[in-house]
Every structure is written in structure tokens, then in C-alpha cells.
Amino acid sequence: MGVGEWIAWFAVLALSLYGCAHLIRKICLLMTRCDRSVCLYRLAIPDSLEALDPLMRCLQTQHAWREDPCRCTLVLLPALDDEESKIAERLLQEDATVIPLTREDMIMFLKDSKE
């Protein structure tokens, strides 16, 4: 057996081990997933209005590939003036799983979700 065949066998073995590990991970995640009555939230905090557009594109892409339909993203908006808040609202309306909040809205949202 030549060196090329050894490399090919090693590559096949490594990829098959990776596939088995991924399959075991997927089975474990399916067995331990949350009940559908639980909604998971994650928090995204952009530094400025300029960071909001790339953040929204990233969140929309992640939502398109997501397997868990019950996860929402909270976007904590920085202090914005009227014109900036209109731009931010337009960007945030494109994805229904993204909830825009200010600091004051976050407190009310957390209180309402507990009840």
C-alpha cells in the first residue's frame, strides 16, 4: 500500500468517526430537547445603529437554518433618536422571531412573561 492509499484510508476513517459523533450528538439533542410549552430567548445587543443591519442579516440567516422553532431573539436597542428608531424598526420588522426592546421595554417584557 502506498502513502496515498494510507492518506485516503485515514481520511475515510476520520470522516466516518466525525459522522458517527454528529449522529450521536443529534440523537442526544433530540432526546433532551425542551417541551414545546417552553420558549427560549437569546439576547443580542448591538453597539450602534451601524451594527444593527449586519446583526439582522446574521439573525435572519440563523433563523432560516434553525431546527428549533420555539426560539426567539430579543434585540436590545441602544438609545436612538426618532429617525434612527424608524430605521431600526424597519429592519426589525423583516423577521418575526426578533423582538426589538429598549431597556424600559425589557423590564416590562420580563414582568409580562413571568405572569
Side-chain angles (χ1 to χ4, degrees), residues 45-66:
I45 304 173
D47 291 335
S48 64
L49 185 64
E50 292 81 27
L52 191 60
D53 186 37
L55 174 68
M56 288 307 301
R57 282 189 269 124
C58 177
L59 293 175
Q60 289 169 352
T61 303
Q62 289 176 1
H63 175 67
W65 289 92
R66 186 179 309 145

Side-chain angles (χ1 to χ4, degrees), residues 10-114:
F10 178 75
V12 167
L13 178 65
L15 290 173
S16 62
L17 288 174
Y18 175 75
C20 289
H22 187 69
L23 179 65
I24 292 169
R25 176 185 170 271
K26 195 75 148 167
I27 290 170
C28 290
L29 287 174
L30 284 174
M31 291 173 55
T32 60
R33 68 179 171 207
C34 291
D35 188 18
R36 292 203 183 269
S37 64
V38 175
C39 192
L40 303 173
Y41 293 99
R42 65 180 177 169
L43 180 64
I45 304 173
D47 291 335
S48 64
L49 185 64
E50 292 81 27
L52 191 60
D53 186 37
L55 174 68
M56 288 307 301
R57 282 189 269 124
C58 177
L59 293 175
Q60 289 169 352
T61 303
Q62 289 176 1
H63 175 67
W65 289 92
R66 186 179 309 145
E67 296 175 4
D68 185 11
C70 116
R71 178 180 286 171
C72 296
T73 302
L74 305 175
V75 176
L76 187 61
L77 296 175
L80 304 172
D81 62 13
D82 290 337
E83 183 179 327
E84 290 175 336
S85 64
K86 289 178 185 176
I87 294 170
E89 289 297 323
R90 181 183 51 83
L91 286 172
L92 292 167
Q93 287 176 354
E94 295 175 5
D95 192 359
T97 62
V98 176
I99 302 169
L101 298 170
T102 59
R103 285 189 314 174
E104 295 79 21
D105 295 339
M106 175 72 87
I107 295 168
M108 295 305 295
F109 181 80
L110 293 174
K111 285 181 182 177
D112 291 343
S113 65
K114 275 188 146 183

